[in-house]
Amino acid sequence: MVGFGESLKQAQLKEWTYAYLSYELLKDQLELIVSAVKALGPRDKLDRVRPLKIMFQKHLESEIIKILQFYEVTFANIRDVKDECIRTQEELSMQDSELAPELKLALINRQREQWRDLANTTVDLLEYISLNMQGLRKIVKKHSKNVEPLMPSKDIGATRVFEIHHPNEPGKKLIQATFLSDEHIDLLTTMQEHEELQEMCQTIRRALAELQFVASKIESSTPISMSQGSSLEMGCSPLDWQSDDMFLFDLRDRRDPGHGSHHSQRSLMLWQRTVKNIQDHEPILEKLAAAAADAQKNASLVSVEDDWFAKQAAIFTAPPRDTEAVATKLGLFLNLLSTFLYMANYNLVIPFISPFCERIGVAESYGGIMVGAADISAMIAAIFYSIWTNHSFRQPMVFTAVVLIVSNAMYSIAYDWGGLPLLMTARLITGFGAARSLNRRYIADFVKKENRTLASAAFVGSSSLGMAMGPFLAIPLDGVGSRKWLGLTFNNVTLAGWVMCGAWVVFLVVSILFFAEPPRRKVPESEQSLLSDYHQSSSGSSSNGDAHDCKTFPEFPKRSTFKFHKDPSFFPTMVMVTLLFALKLEQQGAVSSLPMFTNKYGWSESNVGLFLAIMGVVVIPVNLMMGVLSKYAKDQVQCLFTNLLCLVGSVIIIGVPYNVFDNDAGELGRLRYFSGFTIVYVATIVMEGAAMSLMSKVIAPEMALGTFNAGLLATDSGSFGRFIGNLAVTLIGHVVIQEVASDGKNKAVVNISMFGDISFGAYAILSIMCIILVAASYKRLKQASH
């Protein structure tokens, strides 16, 4: 069996040998790396193999740049030849109609030879694309098979990846970091799509068909004037052969519809037969069509994925073009501030659950549903804002501020009036202020490619800081006394709501005055006219029985109906959605029940706020550390490890004694509870980053587009998980605590112990199920992500 390297040598055009991918040289370099890997010990591999992989990748990319530059120059030469052929054919169309038929045919044959020469050169360039794309795919596959792929990382300056897709197994792909610049990525995309080259194929076919049509008319001794004009001269679209066919017959019929209609009809029939059978006369066209199809197939298997890190913030769409990247610094700041304030608002209630529940006369376990009520409306709001942002960004941003001003005022008023119903209504309204899908989309649609990673990191950081700042607000408010004014109580519990209300008022004013609505790209009237004409002509030609015979060349891909449930990416994507749901359930259940446990240790609201603030800040360096470790540990491994940590943390808390009258038991219980809580909380935060990263690798490209996209799926799965976690706190608390709330203090302690055993026992079972799920689907996740 002949290896690919030998096949590449045999298929190369001799004059272009220097311009092809140096496959054998790259293979030799890869073999040296493999030998070094085998010779090095486990401790040396991490430090010494990575520079070798970087060197190999840079050598590979120098080869890619060579290919791109050669393609650019060669295509420019081919384009010049095409223009010259068109000029010659225009001159031919202006020849004196009194020329002898033999001379006319000689001129036509000479013109045919020019187009055939151009077709042969075009075939060579199309085969050049195919061979080099195959070589690139083969060498990256060989690298991945023998050495761990080089993963993207900011410290090596590679934040993009090559995605090499399997030709026969959809959904299976390899990933390799790339150092290519924006300019070279644009050139690579141009070469892969080769739209102008495909148009040239159609132009060649049309020109040869036109020459054959005229020659047939001459040979059949049917009168025809060469001065009737060339379809190429008239600027007819080479992609739509039926729209301007009358240019080919008799221009006089166009000027006077009543003149020569019978002659035009016969010419139309002859033209359609010529188009249908042109490959019988011009064998080069069959070769041209096959080369175009192969180039399109091979080029589609290689792509460069931008914004690798942006996807961890659930931003899956491609970055905008520079002309459409209109995000301003203030606009981006306001979107990040919106994320920060909402997450602070969401967690604000947690430190004050115990005093608020006591004030309105309900059990502490109601804190779960108090927090979770916002998640119900947040799921609806995510869809609502995804649709609204198709038309405006400024309006929904102002709307969120108004909603949260109202909800915070209602939250504070509920302390004195309205009780639980008003409080639940306030929290439901709070969820409608969850504009995270809006904030993500602003980054996705309007931030430049080179700034998108930083903006995505700022989005994640704003969310984390907001989660910490909400509870932290309890600390400065701890020393505030209680005052009555206009029948309302102003103390540390209610002032938290009024402070957030004031923050949203400031945000509202700034947004109204200074936030600039990003302009939406509108299709120019000229484009609209062309599109309208195209669709009309397409629909008109579709009724013609011979229209389909014109479509010999592969057309540009048409967007078909995407069936996600039948796509190979469906199963791995749903595994990731399940993990996102489970981790949010465990995380929010643990956080919302925190005041119930800390109350038994005599903690104040400020103690709870400080602890949660510390947890929120701690996860930032932990995430950075995991980002470094991700170079050496696959996302699947991280998901398994963090689920195992959740299991360990939950098991530590099960059976914790809460007997506050026994100092030794109380200290042991305190140590076990906070250790277990910290492990669960940090593990779920880290798991979220790994799950989002893995989801970005397995998600189908079609799911990155439209209103109901992957970002919305990730947002709503997390919101639903938080809601179920909060609901579980209330339901378990209702069963375990409320029924014995009238008994003595000792029984009350036993109840909280039972609550901890049931809730964290459930989290332990959920963690085991997630471990089994990831382990069982490990191979499929690995295939989908590579």
Side-chain angles (χ1 to χ4, degrees):
M1 181 178 176
V2 180
F4 177 77
E6 189 62 32
S7 299
L8 180 61
K9 284 183 181 178
Q10 294 174 5
Q12 286 177 0
L13 195 65
K14 289 184 179 180
E15 307 93 278
W16 294 356
T17 300
Y18 67 93
Y20 288 86
L21 183 76
S22 302
Y23 181 81
E24 292 294 340
L25 186 60
L26 287 165
K27 192 170 77 170
D28 292 341
Q29 186 177 351
L30 182 57
E31 288 173 357
L32 291 175
I33 297 175
V34 174
S35 300
V37 170
K38 293 178 180 178
L40 293 171
R43 294 183 178 180
D44 297 327
K45 284 184 180 180
L46 293 179
D47 296 329
R48 298 179 62 181
V49 172
R50 194 180 183 206
L52 294 176
K53 292 195 290 186
I54 292 173
M55 179 179 67
F56 171 83
Q57 185 62 28
K58 290 189 174 181
H59 182 189
L60 173 61
E61 290 176 5
S62 68
E63 291 289 315
I64 293 172
I65 292 170
K66 175 186 74 176
I67 293 166
L68 296 175
Q69 291 173 341
F70 179 81
Y71 172 82
E72 191 176 23
V73 171
T74 306
F75 177 75
N77 292 336
I78 290 177
R79 187 173 52 211
D80 291 342
V81 173
K82 181 202 73 171
D83 293 341
E84 181 59 32
C85 286
I86 291 175
R87 281 194 294 272
T88 305
Q89 192 140 326
E90 289 173 353
E91 292 172 1
L92 181 63
S93 70
M94 301 301 293
Q95 291 290 335
D96 188 350
S97 61
E98 299 301 323
L99 289 175
E102 295 81 5
L103 183 56
K104 290 180 182 179
L105 289 173
L107 292 172
I108 289 172
N109 287 332
R110 187 178 68 178
Q111 183 66 17
R112 279 173 172 164
E113 288 302 318
Q114 291 181 4
W115 284 109
R116 288 166 186 162
D117 290 342
L118 178 62
N120 279 310
T121 308
T122 304
V123 168
D124 291 337
L125 190 56
L126 287 167
E127 290 177 346
Y128 177 82
I129 294 173
S130 292
L131 287 170
N132 284 297
M133 290 296 102
Q134 286 183 53
L136 175 59
R137 181 165 54 83
K138 294 278 187 181
I139 198 66
V140 173
K141 179 183 177 182
K142 190 175 287 291
H143 181 282
S144 180
K145 184 178 179 181
N146 295 279
V147 186
E148 281 291 320
L150 180 66
M151 298 307 292
S153 171
K154 293 178 185 177
D155 62 333
I156 65 172
T159 58
R160 301 182 177 96
V161 293
F162 275 122
E163 287 191 350
I164 309 297
H165 300 265
H166 198 284
N168 302 318
E169 297 182 30
K172 186 176 180 180
K173 57 188 176 183
L174 302 172
I175 292 174
Q176 179 84 346
T178 175
F179 300 90
L180 286 177
S181 65
D182 291 346
E183 178 186 0
H184 292 131
I185 288 174
D186 290 341
L187 284 174
L188 178 61
T189 303
T190 300
M191 186 181 79
Q192 288 173 308
E193 295 176 350
H194 53 275
E195 293 180 0
E196 290 183 316
L197 204 55
Q198 293 210 44
E199 290 176 3
M200 188 174 297
C201 293
Q202 300 287 9
T203 301
I204 292 169
R205 180 181 174 85
R206 186 187 182 103
L208 289 172
E210 182 182 333
L211 292 169
Q212 178 62 34
F213 169 75
V214 176
S216 298
K217 297 284 282 186
I218 294 172
E219 290 168 352
S220 63
S221 301
T222 302
I224 182 170
S225 172
M226 291 288 290
S227 62
Q228 288 170 2
S230 164
S231 67
L232 299 174
E233 177 192 7
M234 297 300 174
C236 302
S237 170
L239 296 178
D240 183 11
W241 296 7
Q242 299 298 315
S243 58
D244 288 293
D245 285 334
M246 295 305 293
F247 281 123
L248 295 163
F249 319 134
D250 195 334
L251 293 181
R252 291 172 297 178
D253 294 341
R254 277 224 166 188
R255 301 186 189 100
D256 182 6
H259 175 74
S261 59
H262 179 66
H263 170 66
S264 296
Q265 185 62 32
R266 286 189 296 108
S267 296
L268 174 60
M269 293 173 64
L270 176 61
W271 167 248
Q272 290 174 341
R273 286 198 301 271
T274 302
V275 168
K276 183 177 181 179
N277 302 316
I278 185 60
Q279 286 190 188
D280 295 339
H281 301 280
E282 300 291 347
I284 185 61
L285 293 178
E286 186 173 353
K287 189 176 180 181
L288 191 62
D294 287 343
Q296 187 174 11
K297 177 183 175 182
N298 286 295
S300 67
L301 298 175
V302 180
S303 61
V304 176
E305 182 63 57
D306 271 324
D307 302 301
W308 184 256
F309 297 101
K311 288 187 174 180
Q312 296 189 32
I315 299 173
F316 297 94
T317 54
R321 291 174 291 185
D322 287 345
T323 55
E324 297 171 1
V326 294
T328 62
K329 291 182 179 179
L330 180 59
L332 182 58
F333 171 75
L334 287 173
N335 274 275
L336 297 176
L337 182 60
S338 173
T339 298
F340 170 82
L341 289 176
Y342 175 75
M343 293 311 299
N345 224 136
Y346 180 85
N347 278 355
L348 175 73
V349 68
I350 294 174
F352 305 108
I353 284 176
S354 294
F356 216 124
C357 288
E358 182 180 351
R359 171 72 176 188
I360 61 178
V362 296
E364 284 180 311
S365 59
Y366 274 85
I369 197 63
M370 284 164 51
V371 177
D375 296 314
I376 302 173
S377 47
M379 288 185 284
I380 301 171
I383 302 172
F384 178 62
Y385 289 127
S386 291
I387 297 172
W388 200 349
T389 48
N390 289 331
H391 311 287
S392 174
F393 275 82
R394 189 169 182 267
Q395 292 174 6
M397 186 169 287
V398 169
F399 177 77
T400 60
V402 172
V403 162
L404 287 161
I405 291 169
V406 173
S407 69
N408 280 291
M410 291 174 66
Y411 164 82
S412 297
I413 293 172
Y415 190 81
D416 294 291
W417 300 332
L420 184 62
L422 184 60
L423 177 60
M424 294 298 296
T425 303
R427 292 296 296 174
L428 277 169
I429 294 175
T430 296
F432 284 111
R436 286 163 61 80
S437 58
L438 181 156
N439 306 137
R440 282 195 186 102
R441 188 165 182 180
Y442 185 85
I443 295 172
D445 287 3
F446 303 115
V447 173
K448 287 185 178 179
K449 182 159 53 177
E450 59 266 27
N451 298 330
R452 198 176 188 189
T453 298
L454 179 61
S456 301
F459 175 81
V460 175
S462 298
S463 299
S464 299
L465 289 175
M467 291 174 65
M469 182 53 65
F472 183 80
L473 194 59
I475 299 175
L477 296 176
D478 186 47
V480 176
S482 181
R483 298 283 190 277
K484 277 277 190 179
W485 186 60
L486 298 178
L488 297 177
T489 301
F490 291 86
N491 58 13
N492 60 335
V493 178
T494 60
L495 279 175
W498 292 119
V499 168
M500 289 305 302
C501 190
W504 283 110
V505 167
V506 174
F507 179 87
L508 174 63
V509 172
V510 175
S511 297
I512 292 174
L513 294 179
F514 301 109
F515 182 74
E517 179 72 73
R520 289 293 182 178
R521 180 182 181 270
K522 295 183 178 179
V523 180
E525 291 184 6
S526 57
E527 291 184 29
Q528 291 176 359
S529 176
L530 288 172
L531 288 171
S532 176
D533 291 344
Y534 173 79
H535 290 304
Q536 289 175 4
S537 63
S538 298
S539 60
S541 62
S542 64
S543 62
N544 191 317
D546 295 324
H548 68 280
D549 295 318
C550 303
K551 298 177 181 178
T552 306
F553 284 93
E555 296 183 333
F556 296 115
K558 294 182 179 178
R559 191 169 178 181
S560 58
T561 303
F562 176 66
K563 296 180 179 179
F564 180 43
H565 65 284
K566 294 184 178 180
D567 192 80
S569 67
F570 175 74
F571 178 77
T573 300
M574 295 314 296
V575 171
M576 292 300 99
V577 169
T578 303
L579 284 185
L580 287 171
F581 166 81
L583 73 89
K584 287 297 183 183
L585 189 158
E586 294 180 40
Q587 180 189 105
Q588 197 59 50
V591 170
S592 294
S593 62
L594 177 66
M596 298 169 59
F597 292 94
T598 56
N599 191 40
K600 302 304 175 184
Y601 298 123
W603 278 30
S604 66
E605 295 82 29
S606 60
N607 295 139
V608 177
L610 179 60
F611 178 71
L612 286 176
I614 291 172
M615 289 293 99
V617 172
V618 163
V619 298
I620 297 176
V622 169
N623 268 330
L624 292 175
M625 182 183 69
M626 291 306 297
V628 175
L629 293 177
S630 66
K631 304 167 194 171
Y632 314 109
K634 294 183 176 67
D635 293 325
Q636 304 95 292
V637 175
Q638 290 188 48
C639 288
L640 281 172
F641 178 68
T642 49
N643 269 294
L644 181 61
L645 284 179
C646 287
L647 174 60
V648 170
S650 299
V651 170
I652 289 174
I653 294 177
I654 296 173
V656 166
Y658 296 95
N659 191 343
V660 293
F661 298 105
D662 184 339
N663 290 333
D664 293 335
E667 287 299 323
L668 177 61
R670 184 182 290 108
L671 177 62
R672 285 178 58 184
Y673 174 75
F674 287 111
S675 298
F677 178 93
T678 302
I679 292 172
V680 169
Y681 185 81
V682 174
T684 53
I685 293 291
V686 173
M687 194 198 312
E688 183 175 7
M692 289 304 304
S693 175
L694 190 53
M695 187 173 177
S696 72
K697 300 172 188 176
V698 304
I699 195 78
E702 289 85 352
M703 284 297 292
L705 305 172
T707 300
F708 299 94
N709 54 31
L712 181 62
L713 184 65
T715 300
D716 272 358
S717 60
S719 295
F720 187 57
R722 278 195 296 266
F723 169 69
I724 296 299
N726 285 315
L727 181 63
V729 170
T730 299
L731 293 178
I732 296 172
H734 180 74
V735 172
V736 176
I737 294 179
Q738 269 198 319
E739 291 181 356
V740 292
S742 60
D743 291 347
K745 183 178 290 186
N746 289 337
K747 287 188 177 180
V749 173
V750 171
N751 289 334
I752 191 64
S753 297
M754 291 172 63
F755 177 87
D757 292 347
I758 294 174
S759 58
F760 283 93
Y763 303 154
I765 294 172
L766 185 59
S767 296
I768 293 172
M769 292 172 64
C770 288
I771 291 171
I772 294 172
L773 176 63
V774 175
S777 54
Y778 188 90
K779 186 175 180 181
R780 293 180 69 174
L781 290 172
K782 183 178 180 180
Q783 289 176 344
S785 62
H786 288 283

